[in-house]
Amino acid sequence: MTLLACIGLTCILKYGTILNRPRTYLCNLHPSIKELFSCSLCLGFWVGLILAIPTGIVLLPLASSAVCWFFDCLIDLIQACVIWIDKHTD
């Protein structure tokens, strides 16, 4: 259940339109922050680390990093397939 929370929080932080303004502000502060928000592997690690503090799950940051990256890649693949299907069915 905690890994699902990590995936959700990572997606919201990376793609959530409601966070566009604060995300843009933070990304303009330093290039490393911009890189963090563009990498689901990195962002998933830090989200997992933050959620590991109250839960006490020591390996959560590593698992979160891997799972968030996997699901981000899966979503990208599904979107690419949908675009390809739309392009070839017209």
Side-chain angles (χ1 to χ4, degrees):
M1 199 60 127
T2 307
L3 280 176
L4 287 175
C6 290
I7 295 167
L9 185 54
T10 300
C11 288
I12 290 169
L13 290 173
K14 189 173 178 188
Y15 300 114
T17 56
I18 198 165
L19 296 176
N20 278 346
R21 190 172 293 168
R23 184 174 46 245
T24 303
Y25 173 76
L26 289 172
C27 289
N28 288 333
L29 290 177
H30 197 275
S32 295
I33 297 174
K34 185 175 183 177
E35 187 176 348
L36 173 69
F37 277 97
S38 65
C39 174
S40 59
L41 192 69
C42 306
L43 191 58
F45 175 83
W46 289 105
V47 165
L49 186 65
I50 290 168
L51 292 181
I53 294 169
T55 61
I57 304 171
V58 177
L59 296 177
L60 183 61
L62 301 176
S64 173
S65 179
V67 171
C68 290
W69 173 80
F70 174 79
F71 277 98
D72 194 40
C73 290
L74 183 63
I75 290 168
D76 286 345
L77 178 65
I78 291 169
Q79 287 177 338
C81 289
V82 167
I83 290 169
W84 186 86
I85 289 170
D86 284 345
K87 186 176 179 181
H88 288 86
T89 56
D90 287 337

